[in-house]
Amino acid sequence: MIRILTVIGARPQFIKASVVSRAIQAADGIEEILLHTGQHFDANMSAVFFDQLGIPQPDVQLDIHGGSHGVMTGRMLAEIEAVILREKPDRVMVYGDTNSTLAGALAAAKLHVPVAHVEAGLRSFNMHMPEEVNRILTDQISDRLFCPTDTAVRNLEAEGFRNKPVQILQVGDVMQDAAMFFVRHAVAPHELPSELLTTEGHGSSPTKREGDPSFVLATLHRAENTDDSERLTAIVNALNAIHRALAPVVLPLHPRTRAAIERTGLILQTHTINPVGYFEMLWLLQHCGLVLTDSGGLQKEAFFFGKPCVTLRDQTEWVELVEAGVNELVGADQARIEQAAASHFGHTVQDHAELYGGGKAAERIVTHLLQRE
Ligand code: UDP
């Protein structure tokens, strides 16, 4: 029996790990110990995903959140180390690029426990992003590098990983697995204004037909935007202007962004709602006419649902979407955001190339985990 210790702690990691956990449960010869660091702890940032996605309750629940990056990562490192010593896993598995990712990988590597990194090889080439630091360091100490895209493989090759005794495995993107598997449960968020619900099944606006693009779906939480008042102001102004002139903007607001907006004294005039569960997010993706975001995950989910994306960043790790012309990077420039939103709203985009593996990533990951060497 192969024992895997999975370390997760933040919203996107719950979604990614849910599909791999299910594939582990369906396989023989492998068992998972689930550790939640506590990095995200609000019910609507954590518990809702465990409930909706059927993730087993964590075997180990830590309570580490807040504080500086150093304090948070350091506390996680110490506590995860103790868990590894106690549980003696054959391997530690980490996801993505958060402080939980780095702490889990580092604790394992120092104890000579091999590390598998899901979402290896992604790069923004911006070392000011905490996520970039976390993912580069995590890749350096992992020996199974599960890459979601060909670009990610090329990034690792450019950094010399082919000369290291590690396995670089292009398995596709677990987020596509999640979107494809859970879409049948999509449900409208209860906080959504009734005029945005389509007629079918909801009986609200008689003028709106099922399939009409009715709103812009926006999310905002990257530190580069929330912690820079100039960028935050430009983005909030753009969202307000789009809401007034183009289409209603639905904004499930991340707690960090809510705090930053309150601090800065900005006023959002959009349909601002609390963070939603994954099933509600899938509904918003199905029904929107455009995604406006600085999230990594949302850029791809827009594509999975045939929606164009305007990205509120200067770089992206998902460059294949920009190359395919379905994602436009506009940074935090108010005029560019408004122009791009107007030119993409309501268009449909298509996945001709199966860029993200077609929903089989979790299965492939488990097949590789079952191979000891
Ligand atoms: N998400 C969600 N509810 C929300 C906002 C995001 O379920 O209110 C989901 C989203 O669909 C995606 C994941 O959370 O699957 C992305 O997480 P986030 O944007 O926090 O992180 P990133 O992808 O930028 O690392």
Side-chain angles (χ1 to χ4, degrees):
M1 184 65 83
I2 296 176
R3 273 163 75 76
I4 306 279
L5 174 69
T6 295
V7 176
I8 52 178
R11 175 169 66 187
Q13 292 165 337
F14 308 140
I15 296 164
K16 293 165 195 168
S18 71
V19 287
V20 180
S21 285
R22 188 158 21 81
I24 289 177
Q25 282 165 36
D28 289 330
I30 181 164
E31 66 176 349
E32 182 176 43
I33 311 154
L34 200 58
L35 183 157
H36 184 337
T37 61
Q39 184 172 345
H40 282 171
F41 57 94
D42 292 336
N44 59 15
M45 297 291 288
S46 175
V48 65
F49 297 98
F50 283 77
D51 293 346
Q52 288 189 335
L53 311 185
I55 309 170
Q57 279 312 303
D59 301 288
V60 184
Q61 176 70 61
L62 306 180
D63 186 25
I64 306 174
H65 46 79
S68 65
H69 282 280
V71 167
M72 194 201 293
T73 315
R75 286 185 58 205
M76 286 177 183
L77 183 60
E79 294 201 32
I80 296 170
E81 181 181 67
V83 175
I84 297 174
L85 287 169
R86 188 175 73 229
E87 297 288 343
K88 301 187 177 37
D90 297 303
R91 165 174 295 285
V92 168
M93 183 153 64
V94 295
Y95 289 83
D97 53 24
T98 70
N99 291 338
S100 302
T101 314
L102 177 60
L106 191 50
K110 292 272 185 161
L111 294 170
H112 305 155
V113 176
V115 179
H117 185 200
V118 179
E119 274 201 350
L122 294 179
R123 298 290 182 264
S124 66
F125 303 99
N126 175 0
M127 285 299 278
H128 286 266
M129 287 178 72
E131 295 90 345
E132 183 78 351
V133 176
N134 289 338
R135 55 171 90 101
I136 288 178
L137 296 178
T138 300
D139 283 344
Q140 287 294 337
I141 52 179
S142 300
D143 77 327
R144 297 262 171 108
L145 296 134
F146 292 123
C147 297
T149 58
D150 292 337
T151 314
V153 172
R154 281 195 295 273
N155 288 338
L156 292 177
E157 286 171 347
E159 291 174 23
F161 273 75
R162 285 284 178 213
N163 302 322
K164 291 166 57 127
V166 299
Q167 293 184 38
I168 301 173
L169 304 152
Q170 213 283 41
V171 290
D173 188 352
V174 286
M175 293 203 88
Q176 183 161 37
D177 297 28
M180 288 171 70
F181 184 79
F182 290 113
V183 66
R184 68 195 83 164
H185 300 293
V187 59
H190 66 88
E191 279 190 272
L192 200 69
S194 58
E195 68 267 24
L196 294 186
L197 297 171
T198 50
T199 42
E200 219 165 274
H202 303 293
S204 58
S205 161
T207 54
K208 214 161 261 161
R209 283 178 299 117
E210 183 73 17
D212 277 355
S214 49
F215 59 88
V216 172
L217 169 61
T219 76
L220 182 68
H221 75 289
R222 287 261 98 72
E224 72 209 53
N225 289 329
T226 59
D227 298 358
D228 178 328
S229 65
E230 212 171 298
R231 289 180 71 100
L232 189 61
T233 304
I235 292 171
V236 168
N237 288 343
L239 293 176
N240 288 342
I242 291 166
H243 184 77
R244 274 194 309 272
L246 180 68
V249 174
V250 176
L251 176 63
L253 198 58
H254 193 285
R256 180 195 2 227
T257 317
R258 186 178 289 279
I261 286 177
E262 279 167 15
R263 244 190 346 262
T264 323
L266 291 162
I267 307 282
L268 272 167
Q269 293 155 340
T270 55
H271 287 308
T272 306
I273 59 178
N274 284 303
V276 293
Y278 188 57
F279 294 171
E280 288 78 5
M281 188 47 107
L282 294 176
W283 187 94
L284 291 169
L285 284 157
Q286 277 181 322
H287 291 85
C288 70
L290 173 75
V291 173
L292 203 57
T293 191
D294 61 3
S295 158
L298 257 295
Q299 291 175 58
K300 285 169 298 157
E301 286 166 341
F303 181 64
F304 301 153
F305 286 88
K307 306 302 163 90
C309 185
V310 172
T311 298
L312 305 164
R313 291 181 46 196
D314 303 314
Q315 315 86 17
T316 180
E317 300 76 25
W318 307 102
V319 288
E320 50 286 323
L321 295 176
V322 177
E323 285 159 9
V326 300
N327 183 4
E328 185 173 344
L329 293 179
V330 291
D333 179 315
Q334 186 181 340
R336 283 183 68 197
I337 298 169
E338 290 176 38
Q339 274 158 17
S343 78
H344 295 290
F345 183 71
H347 293 178
T348 304
V349 305
Q350 273 174 356
D351 185 357
H352 294 296
E354 278 231 340
L355 291 175
Y356 296 103
K360 298 256 183 282
E363 229 172 82
R364 295 188 190 114
I365 287 171
V366 173
T367 302
H368 287 298
L369 290 175
L370 282 165
Q371 294 159 8
R372 281 193 182 264
E373 293 306 320

